Structures are given as C-alpha cells and as structure tokens.
Amino acid sequence: MTDKGVEQTDERGYGPGPWWTELGAVGSVALIVFGGLVAAWVFFRLPGTPENLASGYYQAAKAAAIGLVMAGSALLSRSRARTAAAEETDEGESA
C-alpha cells in the first residue's frame, strides 16, 4: 500500500473533554445552586430521595464541588487576564 493519498499532520486528535469544561462562570454558579437544591431535596426527604441519604448528599456535594472548582478557575483566569492587560498598558505608556 502506498502513502500517496494519505495526509499526515502533527496534530493529535483528542477526544471530547468532560461535560463541565465549557460551562463558564454562569454555568458554574448554576451548578453550585443545583448542588444546594439537591442537598435540600435530600434533607427534606422529598420524593425520589435515595434510601441511603449519604449517597444523595454525596451526589449533591459532587455537583457543588465541580461548580466551585470551575467558578474559581474562571475567576482566576479573569484576574490573570486583567493583570496582563494592565501590564501591557503600563509598558505602552512608559515607552
């Protein structure tokens, strides 16, 4: 078999990332609120609450933790972008 018709690139194709990677700040806050609502649902033992309450709280904590990490990451990247922009304008004015 010849390689004449085959295109080779150095780019690696990665599979899709986790579902929470593109939520952003608003989606992160929504996920935190959702985790709180699930915890309240389990606390009041509303319909659909698992028999083992610890598993319900665990699921709520997972959702809230993912939201907290994503919100922190979004705020940190925003802070870094502002710092970098401020440094660029300071360098441009001093030159």
Side-chain angles (χ1 to χ4, degrees):
M1 181 174 191
T2 62
D3 291 333
K4 292 181 182 179
V6 178
E7 179 182 339
Q8 295 181 355
T9 62
D10 291 335
E11 296 179 23
R12 294 183 180 161
Y14 293 103
W19 57 269
W20 63 80
T21 56
E22 302 207 8
L23 286 178
V26 175
S28 300
V29 171
L31 197 55
I32 294 166
V33 170
F34 175 73
L37 289 174
V38 170
W41 190 277
V42 171
F43 179 77
F44 291 118
R45 292 181 175 88
L46 296 174
T49 301
E51 296 227 3
N52 184 4
L53 295 180
S55 66
Y57 287 124
Y58 175 71
Q59 296 299 326
K62 280 191 342 183
I66 290 172
L68 286 169
V69 169
M70 294 304 297
S73 298
L75 291 174
L76 184 63
S77 67
R78 184 178 294 174
S79 165
R80 287 183 179 172
R82 285 184 183 172
T83 303
E87 288 177 359
E88 286 180 8
T89 57
D90 289 343
E91 289 176 3
E93 290 175 2
S94 64

